[in-house]
């Protein structure tokens, strides 16, 4: 049985935090999404292409998704705290950007 380290568990929490805010942003614009890859593509089409979010934001979404996938399904990858910690500030910044876009519609 494979054990997951604290780095992996923090990565999962970080990824899903970003994922759910991104999904909420899309739903706020009446854009339904059914897959994780679909979320990344739709954020790109509707927010990066329109220069509302940056390509760097889109790359971060993709990177977190890839890390989450490999951490969950690749038996040889075990993410450590050192792998995940540098992503927290960037992810928090992206979450705040997306929250601001959601709230701007209602304020």
């Amino acid at each position: 049985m494979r054990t997951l380290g604290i780095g992996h568990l923090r990565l999962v929490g970080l990824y899903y935090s970003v994922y759910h805010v991104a999904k909420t942003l899309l739903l706020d614009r009446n854009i339904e999404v059914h897959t994780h890859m679909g979320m990344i593509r739709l954020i790109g089409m509707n927010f990066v292409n329109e220069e509302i979010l940056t390509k760097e934001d889109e790359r971060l979404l993709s990177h977190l998704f890839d890390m989450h996938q490999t951490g969950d399904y690749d038996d040889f990858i075990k993410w450590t705290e050192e792998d995940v910690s540098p992503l927290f500030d960037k992810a928090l910044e992206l979450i705040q950007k997306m929250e601001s876009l959601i709230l701007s519609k209602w304020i």
Side-chain angles (χ1 to χ4, degrees), residues 7-71:
H8 176 78
L9 296 175
R10 290 189 76 196
L11 172 67
V12 169
L14 184 62
Y15 170 70
Y16 277 105
S17 296
V18 175
Y19 169 78
H20 286 296
V21 176
K23 188 172 179 178
T24 301
L25 178 60
L26 291 166
L27 287 172
D28 190 58
R29 302 300 196 273
N30 295 316
I31 303 167
E32 287 192 41
V33 62
H34 302 286
T35 66
H36 292 255
M37 285 302 298
M39 178 272 298
I40 295 167
R41 278 190 220 105
L42 289 168
I43 287 289
M45 287 172 43
N46 292 280
F47 295 94
V48 176
N49 289 351
E50 299 297 322
E51 298 182 357
I52 298 168
L53 294 174
T54 67
K55 290 211 179 280
E56 185 64 30
D57 295 331
E58 185 178 27
R59 279 191 287 276
L60 178 60
L61 279 170
S62 291
H63 183 60
L64 289 170
F65 174 74
D66 290 343
M67 287 179 75
H68 167 60
Q69 289 292 104
T70 56

Side-chain angles (χ1 to χ4, degrees), residues 14 18 60 64 87-96:
L14 184 62
V18 175
L60 178 60
L64 289 170
L87 301 171
F88 270 82
D89 287 340
K90 292 176 185 178
L92 179 59
E93 184 180 312
L94 177 55
I95 288 169
Q96 290 170 337

Side-chain angles (χ1 to χ4, degrees), residues 74-90:
D74 188 330
D75 290 335
F76 300 107
I77 299 291
K78 192 171 188 178
W79 299 114
T80 66
E81 186 69 23
E82 292 79 29
D83 297 318
V84 178
S85 288
L87 301 171
F88 270 82
D89 287 340
K90 292 176 185 178

